Amino acid sequence: LAGGQADTPALRARRLLGLEGGTLDLRRLKSCYKSLMKIYHPDLNPQGLRRCQEINAAYALLASGLAGP
């Protein structure tokens, strides 16, 4: 992997949400999450259920790391 970085769950989550580069903040995370949900939400895309679940899990993982005390 580039830069010797391990493929951690957080890196996989960032990749899934399209957040590979730059600083991660809650506003950017929410924006990407909402954009993807407009595409993959099962109410809008019957084949999107699995992808929707993956997106939800990635968002939860990354958001938990950004949550304040």
Side-chain angles (χ1 to χ4, degrees), residues 44-68:
L44 304 172
N45 179 355
Q47 288 77 37
L49 178 61
R50 180 178 296 274
R51 186 70 165 187
C52 181
Q53 291 169 336
E54 293 170 350
I55 292 165
N56 279 326
Y59 176 83
L61 175 72
L62 295 175
S64 69
L66 295 174

Side-chain angles (χ1 to χ4, degrees), residues 22-34:
T23 303
L24 182 62
D25 61 53
L26 195 54
R27 183 171 53 199
R28 185 172 173 221
L29 175 59
K30 285 182 180 182
S31 176
C32 288
Y33 172 79
K34 289 178 182 180

Side-chain angles (χ1 to χ4, degrees), residues 5 10-25 28-29 32 62:
Q5 294 178 338
L11 286 174
R12 286 191 299 271
R14 286 182 68 133
R15 194 175 307 120
L16 178 71
L17 296 176
L19 295 166
E20 294 168 88
T23 303
L24 182 62
D25 61 53
R28 185 172 173 221
L29 175 59
C32 288
L62 295 175

Side-chain angles (χ1 to χ4, degrees), residues 31-46:
S31 176
C32 288
Y33 172 79
K34 289 178 182 180
S35 294
L36 289 169
M37 291 306 287
K38 288 178 184 177
I39 298 168
Y40 294 106
H41 193 281
D43 288 346
L44 304 172
N45 179 355

